[in-house]
Amino acid sequence: MNVTLNWLKTYIDFEFSPSELSDRLTMLGVEVETIKQLGTGLEGVVVGKVTDVRPHPNADKLVLCQVEVGEAEPLQIVCGAPNVRESMFAPVATIGATLPIGLTIKSAKLRGEVSHGMLCSEKELGFSEDAAGLMELPTDISLGTPLREALGLDDVMFELEVTPNRPDCLSLIGVAREIRAETGNPLKLPAVDLEESETDIGGLTSVTIDAPDLCPRYAARMIQGVKVAESPAWLQQRLESVGVGVINNIVDVTNFVLMEYGQPLHAFDYHKLAENRIVVRRAADGEALTTLDEVARELTTDMLVIADAEKPVALAGIMGGYDSEITETTCDVLLESAYFNPSSVRATAKALGVGTEASYRFERGADPGAVLAALDRAAQLIAELAGGTVCEGTVDVYPGQQPLREIQLRPNRVNFILGIELEATEMEQILSRLGFDVEASGDTYQVTVPTFRSDITREIDLIEEIARVYGYDNIPTTLPKGDIPVPAPDPKVEVRKSVKRFLLAAGMMEAINYSFCDPNCFEKIRLASDSPLRDALPLQNPLSPEMSVLRTSLIPGLLENTQHNRNHQINTIALFEIGGVFVREGDQKEPERIAGVLAGQIGDGIYGNPYRNPDFFDIKGLVEGMLETCGITKYTLQKTDVPTFHPGRNAAVLLAETQVGTFGEVHPEVLENYDLPYKAYLFELDLEALVDAAVFAKHFEPIPIYPKVERDLAIVVDKAVLSDMPTERIYKTGGEWVESVRLFDVYEGEQVPEGKKSLAYTIVYHSATETLTDKAVNALHERVVKHLHQELGAELRM
Amino acid sequence: MKAELEAIKTEALQALKEIETLDALESLRITYFGRRGKLTDVMKGMGKLSKEERPAMGKLSNEVRATLTEAFEDLTEKLQSQQREQQLETEAIDITLPGRKPAYGKAHPVMQIMERIEAIFGQMGFEVVTGPDVETEYYNFDALNTPSDHPARDLHDTFYLTDGHLLRTHTSPVQIRTMENQQPPVRIIVPGKCYRVDYDVSHTPMFHQVEGLLVDKHATFSELKGILTSFARQMFGDQTQMRFRPHYFPFTEPSAEVDISCAVCQGKGCRSCGNTGWVEILGAGAVDPAVFEAVNYDPDEVTGFAFGMGVERIANLQFSIPDIRTFYENDLRFLRQF
Ligand SMILES: [Zn+2]
């Protein structure tokens, strides 16, 4: 919604500068988004009168003019415009002026004759595309007046952001009312003094409302004998100053009054209405209407139309019909001013995908009380500007008339909610200035709501009104009374924090991906055709196919990030993400996952810290570290058949019997699908499962006081023996004396028989209650070796 | 013998003056103190002395020995420290060679800001609560006093699922879910993802909000101002000025938009604040009675206030990233900067 300073001043007096006004309105809740000075670039352009026109001695198409600009001597100006003539008033760009088109005026000789300025066309002044001739000015302006002043362009435009609850501020008068609340100055509403002809409107037309639920009020007036033409300059300027396009005098008047009162009006060509009458009804099944924008629209039976005796002629509150619009030949006008049901207008506009200045206001709620005032104002202006006479009387069908709303206001409630101590009388003053009728009754007020404030229905609405006019700035700043609650610790937050802290310390960078993904990604990560992860929730209105389903895994996002980085020549990739995925079944429909990727290289590639390639055991270390940081020690790893991974290089993490995640080397085909020239390693874990298993309670274990004894043990076993099988047996055989077992070497090749491998462990023996003797350790160590031989066929390697 | 001892002493002390290395010193030591050393030889002659001569000579020889031993030790120490210094000199390295930095990761910039917001409100006793991203019309709109024909719905361009659910357009549904399950007092903040159909340099279809809600027997608008002022000073610095502007949200009344003084120009007006000196950071207001009614709270018994802020917006006050979609490309050159 745009308003200008000068236009506002026609409805209320105020002394604010543009920036003051902007601040005041903004702090009342009508936010000023931009302030724009109009008519810039017209400095040095003044009103002049052509007093003499003589032929140019050296050019057929040019003439020599004497132009008076209110100075002692007239200016000689060479001009080539076809419409130049004696006594005409036109804009004169004087020496030194720079026009909006970029031309700077200098004293010049044209074909040998001196020219001291330029007579201007509209195009040269940036007003329109009209370059056919000089712009004609009214002849009652004093010569030498700056053009900006003469045209009323010395004005400032404000672009307002009006919130959906304030349709009353979608008008100049509405904004003026806000200024009244601020200043207390009275409104100056337009004086309407209609001269009616003797022809009674009742004999010319009628209005029938068949759908009073959707059209509570419909009023009409008739203006006969109009002449459709261009609007006068003042009207055009007003409309243009707030960015409304001009059409013709009839339509321009309706738009002017729309801006003035916020009341949408519509002008019909009376003679194009079948039986010259109006029926307000729901559209019939299969009916259609071609609207002003020349679009043929199929109507449905829940849409309200304005019809004549036969067919729809307008979409109620949205747009007029093409066939009944005002044209150059229109002589009798039927002017509509109505109030339509907001939900109905909104639903129809939405269904048809149209939005207009009218529908914008009706769907937010117009003022049923302004219907007649706006109608009379427009009728009078049409009669004034387009000739014609206003018929006697108004048709006003008002089946939906409601008594004015009354609300009880408790002043102490106002202070209670806002935390202020305002006198009741001050509240009363504020409400009165806003146009409410306030009556004291005991400790409370009975407040009557004017028709233009459809948003005020409850006491809290009045409290807000008082708050904003009193000024949010004047409300004190206090801190809540009462104890600060101490929230119970949330184990999920703990797990998320611990895991994240660990991964960050391990050099992983945190990523955030969109919750939507491309359904093709499931193919790209080779999910089994019956994988439940393929059953992603689709969006009804996705932005693009690549963002059309909700993700069921964090892995595709991280692989895409890997691809993006690699495409930008970043090859040290270590990323993780913690976030929700979306599944259809189960109690946890948005389980939180944690996933990570390692790809390319590790290290910073500098002297002393060269790059190396990550491998399976890097990703495994990350997973184990995360589990450890959550206090989870009882888990098992087991190979899986998840097709995203290399079949021989992956594992599932099991807590008790439940799989809570997988990790491993990415399958070469998946690497190809993401254009990755090097190996990548992934993990994805179910954060919720970690939460269930996490142990954060810490307890102290005494620091060992007896010395430990370390023994190295190298054994040769079949290749098929996994490294943790000896470990497990060492612990079992060694019992409580085995403090730890560390695998420090794995070797295959020369010196080890075919089909065998060598594993080397350091066993740390320790007792909490005594110093272990060599003898005792040796005995135990031998037992360990013996068991390894018996159970795994392990031979000591010499 | 006396003369002999004196001569040895003079000669040894003279010889020490010429010694420059520990090795030379050692052989000199052997020359005097070794089993066949000069001093040892003289000492061996002690037995031949008469009983009367012995004590004086003994004393003298001990003195000479002590003097020489001390001189040798002094020189040893001096040479050793010289040798260490020389060695350290040769061990000097090029300190401009690169250091070995342990790898360290960084939290996503949006998360960094969100965690900071959580921490500030955490100190004020706000509990972190979360809710689902996939919501119903009821929780996202209706219960928040935004029925389907309400023009305010136009402000949210909503993603719908094909089953009639939607992706929440704000974190406010969690207000409703919390109040449905908890009696007042309530003091929560709700960080989370939100979604709107929007994709340009200043909008991503997914973004983050932090919502706050406080409900008590008597929570006032002035307390809302207090809490948010305290937050803004901690978040943006204690010189931060606040401006509460009347605004409209369906689920709060009175409602406000909250601006802070522009950090770039200190409120004087510049390009980044559109010459107003103010930058909008959040929306807030007293909980609308209709919302209380939707969760079966009695609006005459409790009052409350709520607020919500866009995390990307707040992050970008600091970072000034021209295209906020960059946040979700996860380009490591970008992530490393924060
Ligand atoms: Zn600024």
Side-chain angles (χ1 to χ4, degrees), chain A residues 525-749:
Chain A
I525 63 167
R526 298 183 80 243
L527 285 186
S529 57
D530 61 347
S531 167
L533 295 185
R534 283 183 181 263
D535 190 18
L537 292 161
L539 293 180
Q540 201 184 92
N541 53 335
L543 273 174
S544 67
E546 291 76 34
M547 294 176 150
S548 61
V549 299
L550 292 181
R551 65 180 178 185
T552 56
S553 161
L554 303 182
I555 283 178
L558 289 173
L559 285 173
E560 270 166 39
N561 301 153
T562 306
Q563 185 177 9
H564 168 95
N565 280 294
R566 123 96 184 148
N567 287 347
H568 292 84
Q569 297 169 293
I570 303 152
N571 296 310
T572 308
I573 297 164
L575 284 166
F576 75 97
E577 179 170 9
I578 302 176
V581 299
F582 301 83
V583 298
R584 262 180 224 273
E585 303 299 331
D587 335 323
Q588 270 288 356
K589 288 195 193 302
E590 295 178 21
E592 201 167 332
R593 295 278 158 80
I594 169 147
V597 62
L598 289 176
Q601 57 211 10
I602 288 182
D604 44 18
I606 56 165
Y607 170 78
N609 190 13
Y611 289 131
R612 68 175 178 84
N613 295 322
D615 65 24
F616 179 84
F617 302 102
D618 288 304
I619 204 83
K620 180 178 174 183
L622 288 175
V623 170
E624 289 179 323
M626 275 189 290
L627 293 168
E628 194 177 308
T629 190
C630 296
I632 302 173
T633 48
K634 292 197 169 61
Y635 59 88
T636 47
L637 302 181
Q638 170 179 302
K639 273 195 187 165
T640 71
D641 52 2
V642 176
T644 306
F645 294 119
H646 186 303
R649 296 179 178 183
N650 72 72
V653 182
L654 283 83
L655 293 179
E657 299 294 294
T658 317
Q659 178 172 322
V660 301
T662 51
F663 63 89
E665 183 177 311
V666 176
H667 194 284
E669 207 173 289
V670 177
L671 294 176
E672 276 169 32
N673 292 339
Y674 288 92
D675 294 328
L676 295 177
Y678 36 63
K679 287 178 181 172
Y681 298 86
L682 287 169
F683 70 81
E684 185 170 36
L685 298 176
D686 183 3
L687 196 92
E688 325 277 345
L690 299 191
V691 173
D692 294 339
V695 181
F696 287 112
K698 309 273 196 289
H699 63 96
F700 167 75
E701 279 198 25
I703 299 192
I705 47 174
Y706 297 103
K708 60 183 180 181
V709 179
E710 289 195 3
R711 288 276 190 278
D712 286 355
L713 171 66
I715 52 174
V716 175
V717 291
D718 283 348
K719 256 186 174 176
V721 172
L722 302 180
S723 82
D724 66 345
M725 290 156 71
T727 308
E728 206 178 287
R729 280 161 181 85
I730 294 167
Y731 275 115
K732 217 168 104 192
T733 313
E736 60 178 9
W737 278 9
V738 174
E739 189 194 79
S740 64
V741 179
R742 222 161 56 221
L743 176 72
F744 70 86
D745 193 34
V746 180
Y747 178 75
E748 282 173 45

